Amino acid sequence: MSRTAPDARTATVIRKTAETDITVRLDLDVPAYDAPHTGHGFFDHMLDALARHSRLGLSVSATGDLHTEPHHLIEDTGITLGQALSQALGDRKGVERYGSAFVPMDETLAHAVVDLSGRAHLAFEPETLDVWGDAGGMTHYHLREFLRGFCNHGGVTLHVRLLAGREAHHVIEAVIKALARALRDAVAVTSAEMPSTKGSL
């Protein structure tokens, strides 16, 4: 993790495996929209949407074994992003903790609810519905693995509901934007207290 000042909520995480090589830089307070570079056009578009709608400083540079399929790249990026979020949050003191957002996209309506509890859980409704198609090879199952990696390594509880929509492109994009807007609220520093009756997260 890289911190430029004692109270700076920033992190840099590098993850290298036999399948992927990923660097994520995250700043929870200073927006910076560096174009992501993963080699997968639609996934880049989703990471850009995540940064812009969350108003977080996010930079992602990644390579992966796309000659097989995008699963490893997408899942490992979620893992790395979750690690960066957890490091940037520190002890999570003073954060709002909860965030919720509805996002429509044409016929699709997605709802994301976030709890920065330190406990990992993903409830992902789209996998129980009849979502069809893909976006440049990315399906809602790849989205699930991205979010699972993010939650498991970020200490995030995330509930994703799909209230309308069946087409993968719109479903994925609406979910990412709903997550982004929920995160924007959840990471905000709103007090000096620990947002838990336990006294810690």
Side-chain angles (χ1 to χ4, degrees):
M1 178 177 64
S2 172
R3 293 185 182 275
T4 57
D7 58 347
R9 299 195 302 160
T10 66
T12 297
V13 176
I14 300 171
R15 175 183 173 86
K16 291 186 180 182
T17 72
E19 298 164 338
T20 59
D21 185 347
I22 300 166
T23 300
V24 170
R25 295 180 177 86
L26 182 64
D27 190 319
L28 301 184
D29 300 307
V30 181
Y33 306 127
D34 291 344
H37 299 284
T38 69
H40 190 286
F42 183 74
F43 189 42
D44 284 349
H45 178 44
M46 292 301 93
L47 292 171
D48 184 59
L50 181 63
R52 292 178 184 273
H53 287 270
S54 65
R55 298 178 187 167
L56 303 178
L58 177 63
S59 172
V60 178
S61 178
T63 59
D65 54 350
L66 289 174
H67 60 281
T68 58
E69 65 133 9
H71 179 107
H72 297 141
L73 175 73
I74 293 170
E75 179 184 23
D76 285 9
T77 300
I79 290 171
T80 312
L81 178 60
Q83 291 171 336
L85 176 66
S86 184
Q87 290 184 20
L89 284 170
D91 64 6
R92 310 188 185 212
K93 185 176 180 180
V95 297
E96 182 61 22
R97 177 177 168 177
Y98 297 104
S100 175
F102 291 89
V103 168
M105 187 170 184
D106 299 338
E107 80 292 343
T108 297
L109 178 60
H111 184 210
V113 183
V114 167
D115 177 9
L116 302 180
S117 61
R119 300 184 302 277
H121 181 78
L122 173 64
F124 186 74
E125 185 184 70
E127 68 182 343
T128 69
L129 303 176
D130 186 25
V131 178
W132 56 270
D134 67 90
M138 182 176 178
T139 70
H140 67 292
Y141 293 109
H142 294 118
L143 173 64
R144 177 195 63 194
E145 294 309 299
F146 171 79
L147 296 176
R148 193 195 308 276
F150 172 71
C151 290
N152 285 346
H153 293 266
V156 175
T157 291
L158 171 62
H159 287 251
V160 175
R161 294 192 301 153
L162 188 63
L163 286 78
R166 292 293 181 269
E167 192 273 321
H169 183 138
H170 289 172
V171 167
I172 295 168
E173 189 159 350
V175 168
I176 287 291
K177 289 177 178 178
L179 169 63
R181 295 181 70 87
L183 270 178
R184 184 178 74 189
D185 291 342
V187 303
V189 176
T190 56
S191 76
E193 305 299 322
M194 183 64 70
S196 172
T197 55
K198 298 182 181 70
S200 65
L201 288 175

